[in-house]
Each structure stands twice: as structure tokens, then as C-alpha cells.
Amino acid sequence: MATITESFHSESAQAFTFPLQTKAFVVQEPKADFALTTITLDEVRPDEVLVEMKYSGICHTDIVLQQGLLPMVDFPAIFGHEGAGVVRAIGSSVKNKSLQVGDSVLLSFTVCGDCKQCTSGHPAYCHSHPQINHGAVRRDGSTPGKLLDGRGVRSQYFGHSSFAKMSVVSEKCVVRCPYPESMGIYAPLGCGFQTGAGTILNVLKPQAQQSVVICGIGGVGLAAVMAAKYLGVQQVIAIDLVDDRLKLAEELGATHIINSKQDADVVKTIKDLTHGGANFAVDCTGVVPVIEMLIECIGPRGVAATVGVPPPGKKIQIDPLTFLLENKTYVGVIEGDSNPEVFIPELMELHRSGNFPIERLCKVYPIEKLETALSDLKSGSVIKPVIQF
Ligand SMILES: [Zn+2]
Ligand SMILES: [Zn+2]
């Protein structure tokens, strides 16, 4: 079959011929650059969708991935996992019958759809999660993307690999977006914002008279702050090392802020503020001493959640006697334990009602400025960079 080059700026529905030639940011090996590279995409399989990417959020995980720090990731690969775009072709057995060519969609993680976790409403813990999301391949191990020399390129990170102009994605990661004009700020709902908000709204579910400590004030932490504010939680305590971020947390709903660089005893400060320990704590840093500190900060029957990704192989120390006497819980939370098909539309409505002002966190960069966007994320000068294709 002939290889064609897609008309990238075309808005009209058109028939695509496969293999389809397109461009993507390919990372050839750990620590190599995100290099704009011509690739080809195989034909859309029955359960896949061809998406023309319009925006992609950038998540800290993308940097961790490029550095080769996640063991289940192989190279060459295309990362990016907060995509937003337009449907250009639909596989013959896609189950979402309302999905049409031309629809605007947001892309999130993918799932197998039939394991015990998927069928009991907790798809973030799908038994195949590591392979199909981080392995960036289909369930049979194949990948739709190829380099021009014929080598496969892992091109379904989170089912969709959004650092690509066009992507053949798993239907399971596709969520319809009825608000195409807002896709630039909705793209990060697929990972970062869903993770922070979901940890509060789906997992911890604090009540108004309770207290929540949130440590690590990036996109995930601020989404958690906004969700806690939305629930009217009495004490929302934000912790970070950067004053500007803490100030933003305060504007978005934190009732107390703590710069842990300037506070010699954060645990005591929190215990004093909450009269004996917080009800809930959320770690968005993945840093082991921070996690241990947050577990100390919670009071009797308190729950501490890890949301940030700790380096593989690290261990945390807990004091089991305190856990026993105080009935503490420590829990890991992936993607806010959300079902994206249900939760992302809820977050879009929350935003539209003014209760989830994520536009305050996003900065859009043209695709040529990916490196600038990445370095702004690394330096912390921007909370949530989004690239626009
Ligand atoms: Zn599953
Ligand atoms: Zn992410």
C-alpha cells in the first residue's frame, strides 16, 4: 500500500492510507533527546482510533521516562501521555458507538477491560497496566509505529503516545471532549490533574470539618488543593520548597502554607495546626523522607497517600506500633483511582462551573518549543506546560 504524508493542518475528515507517514518526538535510547523524527503508522486495528494530536500536556513522568528511570520502559519510544486531538479514523469494532470521525477527544491511560480490577470499577489498577501503559505496546506486544529503517518504535505510551502529530491509539484511552475550544487546558486531565483531583474526590473523600496535607505543589498537588477546596475542607495545608508555588496554592484554596525549607519541624507545625495530626496527607513528590514525614503528620485513623512515583527499589520505614495504636493507613494511588470515561467529563464540568480553575496552571508552547517547555517544567517556572501542534 502506498505511503502518504498526512495533510497536517487539514480539519476535514479524509480517508487515510496506511502505512501513514507522520512526525513524532522519538527518544532513541535512555537520556537521548526528544528528536522530531519521521515515522510510519500501521493501519488502525479494529479496536484502535487514529488521532491527530492538537495538544499534549507534559508530565514529570515524561522526563523520568526519557532518562530511562522506569524499568518497564524500552526504547526507541515516543512518550507523552496527556494528549488531546481530533479523531481521524475509527477501527471497525470500536465499542464506543457514539465516537465519530472529527470528534475532539482527550486521551488518558488504557486498560485491558476484562480483568478483575477493570470489571470492578478500578481500571487504574488493571492487571495489564504496566505492560500496556508503560511498555507502550499493545497487549500482543506489537506497536503501530515504525522508524523509516523498519524498526518498531514504542508508540502507545498510556495507549496513545501524545508527542506525535498523529497517533494510532487504543480505543480504551479515548474520552470525548465536547469543548474543542478548551482542549489546550483539558489535555492534562488525562494524567496529572486527574491524579490530584481523583486522590481527593475518589479515594480520600475528606469531609468539611477535616484536614488534608498536600506536599509537592506542582500540577498534581494543585489539582488536589482545588478538589479539597471544592469539598469545603476546613484545613488544606500545602507544603513545598518554593514560595511562589505556595502563594498560588493559597490563591487556589490552601488555608495554610508551609515552606519546608524554612520550617525546622514540619511535623510539629502540622500536629499543632490540626490538634493532634491531620486526617489525610497526599505525597506528590515520591521522595522517601517526605513520605515518611507525611505518615508521621497524620493523626489517629489518618490516611497518607502516595501519588508521586518513588524511584524503583526504594523502601520506606514505618513504625508498626504507631500504626497499630493509631490505626493509620498508608496507601498508593494511581491516576486518582479514576475511571477516565466517567471522571474526566466530571472534571470538565467542574472546570466550567468555576470550581477547578486549571487554566491558572497551564502554559501553551508551540511544538517547536518542546525543549523550552521541558526545561521550564524542570526548573519549576511553569506548573503545567502544554505543547500545541
Ligand atoms: Zn484490566
Ligand atoms: Zn503523568
Side-chain angles (χ1 to χ4, degrees):
M1 210 179 281
T3 297
I4 62 155
T5 303
E6 89 281 8
S7 160
F8 185 56
H9 295 288
S10 159
E11 292 295 323
S12 61
Q14 60 184 99
F16 288 98
T17 315
F18 296 93
L20 175 68
Q21 205 169 84
T22 188
K23 283 206 155 86
F25 289 100
V26 173
V27 181
Q28 289 284 353
E29 56 186 22
K31 299 190 169 56
D33 288 344
F34 290 91
L36 197 60
T37 306
T38 301
I39 62 161
T40 61
L41 293 171
D42 284 348
E43 181 126 34
V44 172
R45 287 192 178 176
D47 61 349
E48 292 176 333
V49 176
L50 177 69
V51 174
E52 178 180 341
M53 229 53 82
K54 296 292 182 188
Y55 296 93
S56 174
I58 305 178
C59 186
H60 263 289
T61 309
D62 294 311
I63 297 169
V64 172
L65 292 163
Q66 180 244 355
Q67 293 292 312
L69 298 175
L70 275 194
M72 59 287 255
V73 172
D74 217 339
F75 294 82
I78 302 163
F79 300 121
H81 58 284
E82 293 180 338
V86 176
V87 172
R88 292 302 181 208
I90 300 176
S92 56
S93 69
V94 166
K95 292 199 180 72
N96 182 350
K97 296 297 174 206
S98 70
L99 199 65
Q100 305 276 327
V101 169
D103 277 354
S104 295
V105 291
L106 305 178
L107 303 168
S108 187
F109 61 88
T110 189
V111 297
C112 81
D114 41 46
C115 73
K116 272 191 232 167
Q117 298 305 322
C118 283
T119 52
S120 63
H122 299 279
Y125 305 109
C126 172
H127 294 188
S128 302
H129 185 98
Q131 182 209 346
I132 57 180
N133 285 287
H134 304 295
V137 291
R138 300 178 176 118
R139 286 174 84 183
D140 69 2
S142 68
T143 175
K146 285 195 181 57
L147 300 171
L148 292 184
D149 64 9
R151 280 184 299 149
V153 55
R154 287 165 182 257
S155 47
Q156 284 194 342
Y157 190 80
F158 253 47
H160 71 269
S161 288
S162 57
F163 291 170
K165 291 183 174 182
M166 304 285 282
S167 196
V168 169
V169 313
S170 154
E171 67 160 313
K172 304 268 188 10
C173 69
V174 176
V175 177
R176 279 191 71 235
C177 174
Y179 310 109
E181 71 287 357
S182 303
M183 275 204 287
I185 50 170
Y186 288 172
L189 292 175
C191 181
F193 295 161
Q194 149 173 280
T195 295
T199 302
I200 298 293
L201 299 175
N202 300 330
V203 183
L204 302 181
K205 300 178 181 170
Q207 299 185 354
Q209 74 284 5
Q210 292 188 307
S211 53
V212 182
V213 179
I214 295 157
C215 192
I217 300 303
V220 173
L222 286 167
V225 167
M226 289 188 268
K229 181 184 182 198
Y230 168 67
L231 294 180
V233 177
Q234 202 173 60
Q235 289 186 306
V236 181
I237 304 166
I239 309 177
D240 202 275
L241 301 165
V242 181
D243 284 332
D244 283 352
R245 290 177 171 238
L246 290 167
K247 200 171 147 266
L248 184 57
E250 211 167 26
E251 288 169 23
L252 294 173
T255 57
H256 303 77
I257 53 174
I258 299 171
N259 186 323
S260 49
K261 239 191 322 198
Q262 290 154 19
D263 187 324
D265 196 343
V266 174
V267 174
K268 182 174 182 307
T269 305
I270 291 172
K271 290 215 162 170
D272 288 349
L273 274 174
T274 55
H275 306 292
N279 297 104
F280 302 101
V282 182
D283 165 57
C284 310
T285 70
V287 175
V288 167
V290 172
I291 296 169
E292 291 172 347
M293 178 197 76
L294 287 180
I295 290 172
E296 265 193 80
C297 289
I298 53 173
R301 301 183 56 236
V303 182
T306 283
V307 172
V309 183
K314 291 277 182 193
K315 303 271 189 282
I316 58 163
Q317 286 196 313
I318 57 168
D319 166 9
L321 184 60
T322 313
F323 257 61
L324 171 73
L325 296 175
E326 298 191 358
N327 182 220
K328 288 189 181 190
T329 303
Y330 172 57
V331 62
V333 182
I334 289 284
E335 295 295 321
D337 193 11
S338 51
N339 178 355
E341 242 174 281
V342 176
F343 191 54
I344 290 180
E346 287 174 8
L347 291 178
M348 286 191 264
E349 295 312 319
L350 210 57
H351 171 258
R352 300 192 95 73
S353 65
N355 289 301
F356 196 52
I358 46 178
E359 72 283 357
R360 299 278 311 270
L361 317 184
C362 298
K363 180 176 174 187
V364 176
Y365 298 73
I367 182 173
E368 301 77 28
K369 299 276 184 202
L370 176 69
E371 285 301 329
T372 314
L374 285 162
S375 64
D376 288 353
L377 179 65
K378 271 188 235 171
S379 74
S381 63
V382 172
I383 301 275
K384 177 53 79 177
V386 175
I387 48 167
Q388 180 174 19
F389 290 92

